[in-house]
Every structure is written in C-alpha cells, then in structure tokens.
Amino acid sequence: MSELRPIVVSAAPLDRGADEIAGPVLVLEGADLNWRRQPTLGDTLDGEPGIHSDNFGAGASRPVIRGQTAPRVSVLSDGSPLLDASAVSPDHVVDVETGLARRIEVLRGPATLLYGGGAIGGVVNVLDDKIPTAVPERGVEGDLRLLADTGARRRSAAVGLTAGTGSFAVRFEGLRGRSDDYRVPDQATSRQPDTFTDTKAGTLGMSWITSRGYAGIAWTEQRRQYGLPGHSHDYADCHPHGSHLHCGGHDHGHGHGHAAHGLFALASSHDDDHGHDHDDHDHDHGEHGDHDHDHDHDHAGPWIDQKSRRLDWRADYRDPLPGFSRVRLRGGWTDYRHDEIEEDITATRFRNRGHDGRIELDHKPLAGWRGTLGASWLRSDFDVTGLEAFMPRTVTQSQGLFLVETYELGDWRFEAGARQDWQRVRPDDQQPSWRGSATSLSAAALWSFTPGYNVGLTLSRSQRMPNAQELYARGVHLATNTYEIGNPELSRETGYNADLTLRKIQGDTRFEVSAYHHRIRNYIYADTLDRYEDFRLIEYRQRDATFTGVEGRVEQRLTPIWSVVLSGDLVRARFSGGGDLPRMPAARLGAGVRAQWQGWSGRVDVFRVFAQNRIAEFESSTPGYTMVNAGVSYRWQMGGAGYEVSLRGYNLLNKVAYNHASYLANTVPLPGRNVVLGLNISY
C-alpha cells in the first residue's frame, strides 16, 4: 500500500500534519469533499464521526460537534470569523459558500485556542481560493463544477479562474444554484413545502506574490433566498406575565391567537418599542424594498432574502523579523443583512456590520520550543427590527491574545497554550453594558509509542463569555417557537475538558478513535418557565453540565482495489443533579465499502441513526432510521485538463427520517431519495 502525503492543517499552529495533532482532526478536500458537498455547511459535514447538523429545511444548517453548536462552535473563513446571524437562530444560514470551498478543516482540542476559548465544541475552518497565493505556472488556471439532482431539481454551477504574470495574480469566482422544494417519502404531498433555495455568489480577488509570500484582498457578494418550513406566526401575540405565558387575548389555556391579521401592526409596534431609526437602517417594511422577484417559487410560507458583502485581506510571509520564521495576517469588513418575508412584506430584518482582524507570528526554536503567538480583534454591530425584534441593537467588541508552544523529545510531542480574551457588549436601550474577560489554558501530549501508532491526551480549561442574545433578548422568536428573556447577570462559562485519541496512521488498517469528557461550570442554557401548546417561555440561566462521548473511524484495506470502513459516535449530555440537555444527536453507527481502480472510484455507505429517548423536559423522542447512500465516479485527463463525472445517490431506500438535533425534529422530515449527477473540470 502506497503511503499518502501528509495532510497539513492550516488552522493548526505551525501548519502541522493532521497526524501530529493530539486532538482529533478532520480534513475534507478533493473527492471526499465532492462526495459530501451540500449547499449548507452543516449538511456538508453531517455524517463525519462526532459531527451532526441542526438543519432548518434545505436553506440553513449549522455543524453540531459533540452535541455543541453555535455559539460554542466557531466557523471561520480561512482563519477569519463570520459576522453573520447564524449564532442567533438555526434558521439563519452560515454565511460561507460551500460550493466554492477548496477544503474544510475541523479542529477539536488545544489548537482551537488560537480562535477563542469559547469554541468548546470545535473550530470549522473553510478554505477557499478567492485570494491567490501563487501565480499559475501556465498563466491561467481554473475549475468548473456542475450539479443537477432529482430530489429537489437542484441546478448548480460554480466556476473559478486565476490568471497572473510576474508577481501579480487575479482570481474570479462565481456560483449560481437553484432548487425547488425537496421530495419527502410517505407524505400527503410529495414535496416538503418551503424548502426551496436560490443562491448567487461572486468574488474578485488579487494578490502580490513574491518568493517569501503574498499579500492580497478580495471582494465577495452573496445573495441567498430560501424557504422556512414549519415557521408560523400563530404565537406572535404570546407574551409573559412574570414567569407565566399568556397567549390569545391574555387567556392562557383557552386557545392561542393567530396573529396573521395583526402581523404588520405588530412589526410596526416592535420597531417603535425598540426606538430604531428607520432611515439610518434602510428599512423597507411594508413595500418589500429591493427584494427582486427573479424566481418562480410559490412562497406559501415565510422565506428569507439574505445579502452579504465582505472585503477580505490576507498576507503570509516567511522570515519577516529576526527571531520569527513566519507572519500571517487575516482580516475583513462585513455588511450582512437578511430579511424574513411573509406575504411579500419584510416582517423582520437582521443586520450585522463589523470588522475583524488577527496577526500570528511563528517564532524560531527557543530552548527547543517552537510556537505561535498573536492577537485578534473584532467589532460587531448587530441589529434586529420588525416583528421578531427580540433583541436590542448591540455592539460587541472583543480582543484576544494567545500563545501556543510545542516541544519534541524523542517519541513525545508536548503542547501548551494560553489565551486571554476581553469582551464588551453595549445595548442601545437602558440596560447596562456587559464587560468581562476570559482565560483559557491547554496542555497536550502526543506519544508515538510504536511505528505507525500514536496516542494523544489533551487537557484544557476553556472559558466562554455570554453573547448579546443570552444577555439582552426579550421578545418572540418564532423560528424556535419561544419567547426569549435574556439575563444581564450571566457570568462566563468555564469548561474542564479531557480528550484521549488513539490513531493508527500506517498500513492496511488505519483508525482514529477518541473519547472525551467535558465538565462545564455555569453552562448557559434556555430554561423553560412555561409552555402553551408548542410555544415556550424561556429565560437564559446557568447550571453545571457534563458532555461525555466517543467517536471513531476504522478503515481496512482488503486488496489494492477494495476497502471497508466502520464509523460511529455517541454523546451524552446531562445537567449536574439530573436532567438531559435538549436536541442531543442520537447515537450513530455506519459501515461502508470503497473501491478504487484506475480512474474509477465507487462507494456504498449504510448507517444507522438510533432512536433518541434521552430527552429534556418539554422535548419529544425521535425514532431511529437507516440510510443507504452510494456513488460512482470516473476521472480522466484530456488536452491538459482534468475531468471527473460522478453519479451519487442519497437515502436510496427512501426512508422517513427526522433529525433530533434540529428544532424541526418532529415536524419536517429529512429529504427522501435523491440522485445527483456532477461534472468537475480543472485546467
């Protein structure tokens, strides 16, 4: 069996290989990424050991890592945070375009300290080519991806082109994708309403490249329109009286008020109550503003029209200063906005405008230690206006300093890290600002105890500060069917984490198995105070919690052509003193067959998601299901270009399946049978 080239993880300190990191690492690129590539980030990563998705129809999904999702999972664009609205609600898309991604990395353990102590679940780093890092050898290079499927009649095209000469290179990228409501099995109607998507994205980047590195910028604009299944305004008039919920004319227990007749009046009153300046924020309630009707979807329910503009800047240079081997700079400016539209009227607008930056310096060996030190900063101006204006306008400012060091001694590699963060959240109402700091520490050891094997132990103390929603929310949040009450008295979370990983990285048998235990003091959660039908009154409170789990993958090569794969994961999350946390992913076990012969490759995957009966108060269990996916592809070279044609099938048994990690776990099933035809061209 030939040895594979080492996989360098760009999000890790010192660009180390995936097998040289004590904690578990996932790298998706090439054929593996193409097999998993979906329109949203959570669905793209779903199925990897320890990673699930909290999908909200087809338009939005966030990665769920070891039972944690946003804000305890950080998503980055080549090291820069995304200033979107995905941490606020599961129906908000993660503002990164997977169709243009070159590579996706997922880190857990001490390496995440580079990006903030609050990433208890992990860090997802999405790499792209929007800023060139090298001048094409032939002057021009590019790639084209075409997709079409049967389940949602999706049509998608993504193109990238890089050209350069001398020390200058430019990059153009574009994407266009559309899909209808997806097919579902055994339903009264063959398609799930309000699951359409419509996406456009374009990027222009340029960079100056020398023998020591590069510096460049890129301008990106994205537009997404997608439906919101299960989203209704039936409870828009619900409100609290103390710790009790009142709906339908203040008469708790005698029906709920249907607010459709008062939707626009409610939107207006919410704007007035929050005192927002309509002219300053370019609101167009009541006229639908600049929403283009360039689509033919039947909007039976509410839908989202999202736009974002971002300017990225990146630089990477070797030997920048005496004593330092490398400097990396990342930063950006973002203007994100999305409107939630019902009956052709903008009912609610979410907007996030801000900037971010970071600098990392790799120092040369000092007494045998090599490491990375740096600083990061961020400013976010977040605003919600309209019917669901459940938060005041807030400005969040944060700064961080970090240091990660490694030392090698024989078969051992040791790692230590520290990070100090400061945060201030300022609301625009009469509530006081929240100020705080957090200190995170980590230590790890990796022992290569025999050729081809290593075992890693990581221990860390990580702290997360509350975000604006947890501090200041007060209002109806219809995506989650809740009335949210924030708590300005919240303190920071402190997690004590242990992770043990065993790997075999050579030979016909390869595996990576991890076990972990996280004990989190003052864990911030939404405590249900009262419930009316499917609507809950929640208040953000704190309580100690523990997360314990295992995850792993084993691959056995049988012949030069055939191999088999086994994988699985399990997480248990409980409050100290008793009680399960909500929306924990069910246990999962899978098996697969892989084949590779000349230009042909094929795979069949079967996995079982077990029933989830460990549920929180006010939560319902979900049944288990079995999925079968399969695919075949062929690659060839012709005329200096590389071609790949693929045919993939998902949920081939057309099973009814519900995702327990989703807020729509009991109402919106996952897609039914879907066959995807793809063509990739690179030159």
Side-chain angles (χ1 to χ4, degrees):
M1 177 180 177
S2 61
E3 294 301 315
L4 301 178
R5 62 179 177 85
I7 299 176
V8 176
V9 182
S10 66
L14 304 174
D15 280 356
R16 286 177 292 150
D19 296 330
E20 300 174 318
I21 299 173
V25 176
L26 168 68
V27 176
L28 281 181
E29 60 183 347
D32 288 337
L33 178 56
N34 288 335
W35 167 256
R36 291 208 168 272
R37 199 186 300 267
Q38 299 291 337
T40 58
L41 182 62
D43 288 344
T44 297
L45 294 174
D46 187 24
E48 293 292 335
I51 307 177
H52 296 252
S53 167
D54 67 348
N55 62 293
F56 203 98
S61 69
R62 305 177 298 187
V64 179
I65 302 177
R66 296 178 167 182
Q68 308 273 10
T69 187
R72 297 177 182 89
V73 171
S74 295
V75 179
L76 312 171
S77 175
D78 198 356
S80 291
L82 303 176
L83 294 176
D84 56 19
S86 60
V88 172
S89 181
D91 64 330
H92 300 167
V93 66
V94 178
D95 193 29
V96 64
E97 184 48 65
T98 57
L100 296 173
R102 168 175 52 86
R103 186 183 199 185
I104 302 177
E105 303 170 346
V106 181
L107 297 180
R108 285 152 278 191
T112 64
L113 285 186
L114 269 68
Y115 307 102
I120 296 173
V123 167
V124 179
N125 192 33
V126 181
L127 302 176
D128 54 56
D129 294 313
K130 65 174 63 173
I131 295 178
T133 61
V135 177
E137 292 183 3
R138 295 180 292 178
V140 178
E141 63 184 21
D143 50 85
L144 172 68
R145 284 191 292 272
L146 303 175
L147 282 176
D149 75 26
T150 61
R153 295 194 284 261
R154 176 165 57 126
R155 296 84 70 200
S156 172
V159 61
L161 181 66
T162 304
T165 183
S167 299
F168 185 72
V170 296
R171 172 77 175 180
F172 165 77
E173 293 181 343
L175 179 140
R176 184 73 168 94
R178 291 164 59 92
S179 67
D180 299 331
D181 295 340
Y182 64 67
R183 289 187 181 276
V184 289
D186 300 331
Q187 292 279 92
T189 109
S190 63
R191 296 187 180 273
Q192 178 63 46
D194 303 318
T195 55
F196 72 89
T197 66
D198 196 336
T199 303
K200 304 172 187 175
T203 292
L204 179 62
M206 59 191 70
S207 59
W208 185 259
I209 302 163
T210 72
S211 59
R212 292 172 55 194
Y214 72 93
I217 60 173
W219 177 260
T220 301
E221 294 197 14
Q222 297 186 105
R223 176 84 178 267
R224 297 181 182 89
Q225 297 173 334
Y226 59 92
L228 298 175
H231 196 293
S232 116
H233 289 275
D234 287 351
Y235 305 104
D237 64 346
C238 292
H239 58 277
H241 281 185
S243 60
H244 298 288
L245 192 61
H246 287 248
C247 301
H250 298 260
D251 188 6
H252 188 285
H254 290 84
H256 57 271
H258 293 264
H261 63 281
L263 174 61
F264 309 128
L266 278 166
S268 176
S269 67
H270 271 270
D271 289 343
D272 295 339
D273 290 344
H274 285 77
H276 294 302
D277 186 339
H278 291 245
D279 295 330
D280 179 54
H281 293 281
D282 303 323
H283 297 313
D284 35 86
H285 301 300
E287 297 181 1
H288 194 33
D290 56 356
H291 300 299
D292 300 328
H293 295 273
D294 56 352
H295 42 73
D296 53 10
H297 302 291
D298 182 13
H299 297 145
W303 55 286
I304 280 181
D305 186 10
Q306 179 260 329
K307 291 181 179 180
S308 68
R309 299 178 297 164
R310 180 174 173 91
L311 177 67
D312 284 282
W313 51 272
R314 302 170 187 168
D316 195 326
Y317 274 90
R318 292 179 293 276
D319 299 318
L321 297 167
F324 294 93
S325 59
R326 185 178 180 187
V327 61
R328 289 182 296 275
L329 299 105
R330 298 289 187 269
W333 172 88
T334 301
D335 183 358
Y336 171 95
R337 187 215 76 190
H338 85 247
D339 295 337
E340 298 186 359
I341 301 166
E342 187 164 357
E343 299 177 3
D344 215 28
I345 299 296
T346 300
T348 309
R349 170 166 288 182
F350 291 78
R351 192 156 195 175
N352 195 354
R353 289 176 288 188
H355 55 82
D356 64 274
R358 67 184 292 112
I359 179 171
E360 299 176 13
L361 284 162
D362 296 346
H363 69 76
K364 294 180 179 179
L366 183 63
W369 289 87
R370 299 173 63 240
T372 300
L373 67 155
S376 63
W377 58 93
L378 178 145
R379 185 184 190 274
S380 168
D381 184 345
F382 189 83
D383 192 22
V384 189
T385 54
L387 175 66
E388 290 188 55
F390 62 95
M391 293 171 56
R393 178 179 177 180
T394 57
V395 175
T396 300
Q397 293 175 286
S398 64
Q399 303 85 32
L401 297 174
F402 53 85
L403 173 67
V404 177
E405 295 285 331
T406 63
Y407 183 85
E408 295 186 26
L409 181 63
D411 296 331
W412 289 84
R413 177 192 295 270
F414 300 96
E415 182 176 300
R419 183 180 178 99
Q420 182 68 33
D421 287 290
W422 297 267
Q423 176 179 285
R424 182 185 181 189
V425 185
R426 293 184 290 118
D428 71 346
D429 56 13
Q430 300 301 313
Q431 300 182 77
S433 297
W434 192 97
R435 291 175 180 264
S437 62
T439 303
S440 299
L441 305 169
S442 69
L446 183 70
W447 180 31
S448 300
F449 56 92
T450 193
Y453 291 81
N454 64 46
V455 60
L457 174 65
T458 67
L459 303 173
S460 63
R461 172 191 182 270
S462 55
Q463 292 190 318
R464 184 184 80 89
M465 292 175 280
N467 61 25
Q469 180 179 6
E470 295 162 336
L471 292 167
Y472 301 116
R474 189 169 187 91
V476 172
H477 191 182
L478 295 175
T480 56
N481 269 344
T482 56
Y483 188 103
E484 297 191 10
I485 301 176
N487 183 356
E489 302 301 320
L490 293 174
S491 61
R492 63 197 174 201
E493 298 176 349
T494 301
Y496 298 92
N497 316 303
D499 194 307
L500 183 66
T501 300
L502 176 65
R503 297 190 186 96
K504 186 175 186 298
I505 57 177
Q506 296 177 6
D508 289 339
T509 303
R510 302 189 182 201
F511 58 78
E512 179 176 279
V513 180
S514 296
Y516 58 90
H517 179 75
H518 304 319
R519 181 176 179 271
I520 305 173
R521 295 181 56 189
N522 297 321
Y523 185 86
I524 300 171
Y525 72 104
D527 185 25
T528 299
L529 306 181
D530 195 10
R531 178 177 178 175
Y532 178 68
E533 295 184 350
D534 292 329
F535 193 82
R536 295 178 298 130
L537 172 64
I538 65 170
E539 181 178 11
Y540 288 103
R541 294 181 175 177
Q542 294 183 285
R543 188 176 172 187
D544 294 351
T546 60
F547 290 75
T548 304
V550 294
E551 60 200 25
R553 183 179 187 274
V554 181
E555 181 171 0
Q556 175 66 52
R557 180 170 291 275
L558 304 175
T559 72
I561 296 175
W562 297 94
S563 61
V564 295
V565 176
L566 298 176
S567 64
D569 54 62
L570 169 70
V571 59
R572 294 284 183 256
R574 291 183 59 80
F575 288 113
S576 299
D580 293 293
L581 272 72
R583 289 177 300 283
M584 284 299 107
R588 182 174 55 192
L589 187 62
V593 177
R594 307 283 186 269
Q596 183 76 47
W597 179 72
Q598 297 182 355
W600 290 93
S601 64
R603 61 192 294 167
V604 177
D605 291 316
V606 181
F607 63 92
R608 175 69 181 175
V609 176
F610 297 92
Q612 180 56 287
N613 297 314
R614 296 175 179 267
I615 57 177
E617 191 176 6
F618 301 109
E619 193 179 20
S620 300
S621 60
T622 51
Y625 58 89
T626 300
M627 284 278 187
V628 176
N629 303 328
V632 62
S633 66
Y634 180 68
R635 299 182 185 86
W636 73 97
Q637 296 282 330
M638 185 173 64
Y643 298 83
E644 178 189 39
V645 62
S646 62
L647 186 66
R648 293 169 281 158
Y650 301 95
N651 193 6
L652 292 176
L653 300 182
N654 207 32
K655 291 291 187 179
V656 177
Y658 292 89
N659 177 14
H660 191 83
S662 170
Y663 276 89
L664 305 178
N666 300 111
T667 56
V668 177
L670 298 176
R673 184 184 296 115
N674 185 26
V675 178
V676 182
L677 177 64
L679 173 65
N680 296 336
I681 304 174
S682 59
Y683 54 94

